[in-house]
Amino acid sequence: MIKNFDELLQLCRQKTDKKTAVIAAAQTESAIEAAVIAAAENLTKCLLVGDKAAIEAIIAEKFSAYNGCFEIIDTGADLQKACAVAVQTIHEGKAGLILKGKADTALLLKAVLDKEKGLSTGEVISDVFAYETPEKVVLLTDGGIVLYPDLKEKISLIKNAVKVAHSLGNPNPKVALLSAVEVVNPKMPCTLDAAIITKMNQRGQITGCVIDGPLALDNAIDIESAKIKGIDSPVAGHADILIAPNIEAANIFAKSLTYYAKYRVAHVVMGTKAPILIASRADAAEVKMLCLAMGIVCSG
């Protein structure tokens, strides 16, 4: 598996069949800057959908060297239309992944999940978050879409995250099902789910990874903590993927990594016909560029 995001960018550059990224409602400076960086870094081409006049004005003012360099599909200021058209470009084969621009996540996902014109596969969709530690890149899910996953949904979260890990070069990632404790407690449903899913993995019902849980965060990621607590597990201390018990835990953890630890991060929505990138509108262009690279690598 890649050890850092510089390796992710290199992996993206080396792809010979990389897909074009479509930016939904691209009339925002950070989204256009991400497209500019993607072009400059030879990551991929970007198709811009949105208010053409506003997009061209931003390019002329902030990125004048790229005047006329991007194909733009004009949908005016209508954000809903921009999202719908972005989804349509996937069906038409013009693009292979979607990056959110000015539109909010709910609006983009509404278009993505439209029963007639969307990109749904019938599977659970989830946001797979990646963060770069000094040692390696770790995946975390789900802090953006699935609120309180039940047993079946947690299995889907694992499968989506494992697909990302495989795309990033890890053929058999170690998956930790997180809880506040590392023992089964009937009063804590997430520990029961973790024990069941771990047994399912041991019996070959969930493949492509090694799963253990419940594990507390310390003994999932720190080998000394695991040793002190006497936990004998191939996952403890070595987790590549962290499965949070609910959206609050994952979301707060992810944002603490971003704002306190200052780690570089990226994330991608999996479970649809094409990767969806829902970086926050407040995220810097570098985050959106890393999301693009992650989406490109995961787009097949």
Side-chain angles (χ1 to χ4, degrees), residues 59 63-67 69:
I59 294 173
F63 313 101
S64 58
Y66 287 84
N67 277 326
C69 291

Side-chain angles (χ1 to χ4, degrees), residues 132 255-265:
E132 181 190 64
K255 287 180 178 175
S256 69
L257 293 169
T258 303
Y259 290 97
Y260 278 127
K262 305 298 182 183
Y263 281 165
R264 291 202 291 177
V265 303

Side-chain angles (χ1 to χ4, degrees), residues 25 77-86 103 107 110-111:
D78 187 335
L79 299 180
Q80 184 173 346
K81 183 177 180 181
C83 292
V85 170
L107 197 60
K110 181 179 179 181

Side-chain angles (χ1 to χ4, degrees), residues 132-182:
E132 181 190 64
T133 75
E135 293 79 29
K136 64 179 181 179
V137 173
V138 180
L139 304 181
L140 167 70
T141 192
D142 174 3
I145 295 177
V146 183
L147 303 182
Y148 300 101
D150 59 20
L151 179 68
K152 184 177 179 180
E153 288 171 328
K154 285 177 183 175
I155 293 169
S156 294
L157 300 189
I158 292 169
K159 290 181 178 179
N160 285 343
V162 167
K163 286 178 184 177
V164 174
H166 289 175
S167 296
L168 298 181
N170 188 338
N172 198 39
K174 296 177 175 65
V175 181
L177 288 148
L178 296 183
S179 178
V181 296
E182 58 278 349

Side-chain angles (χ1 to χ4, degrees), residues 202-226:
Q202 292 171 352
R203 292 186 174 181
Q205 293 174 266
I206 305 171
T207 60
C209 60
V210 179
I211 302 174
D212 196 13
L215 290 171
L217 179 63
D218 56 352
N219 47 65
I221 64 173
D222 184 75
I223 188 64
E224 289 304 316
S225 295

Side-chain angles (χ1 to χ4, degrees), residues 65-142:
Y66 287 84
N67 277 326
C69 291
F70 298 107
E71 180 182 353
I72 301 172
I73 298 177
D74 188 14
T75 56
D78 187 335
L79 299 180
Q80 184 173 346
K81 183 177 180 181
C83 292
V85 170
V87 169
Q88 185 59 34
T89 66
I90 302 294
H91 288 298
E92 294 172 352
K94 294 179 180 178
L97 61 153
I98 300 176
L99 172 66
K100 183 183 72 171
K102 190 175 182 179
D104 62 38
T105 298
L107 197 60
L108 177 57
L109 290 181
K110 181 179 179 181
V112 168
L113 298 177
D114 183 273
K115 291 183 179 179
E116 295 182 359
K117 300 179 180 180
L119 301 172
S120 176
T121 62
E123 300 293 328
V124 172
I125 71 168
S126 58
D127 186 57
V128 181
F129 180 90
Y131 63 96
E132 181 190 64
T133 75
E135 293 79 29
K136 64 179 181 179
V137 173
V138 180
L139 304 181
L140 167 70
T141 192
D142 174 3

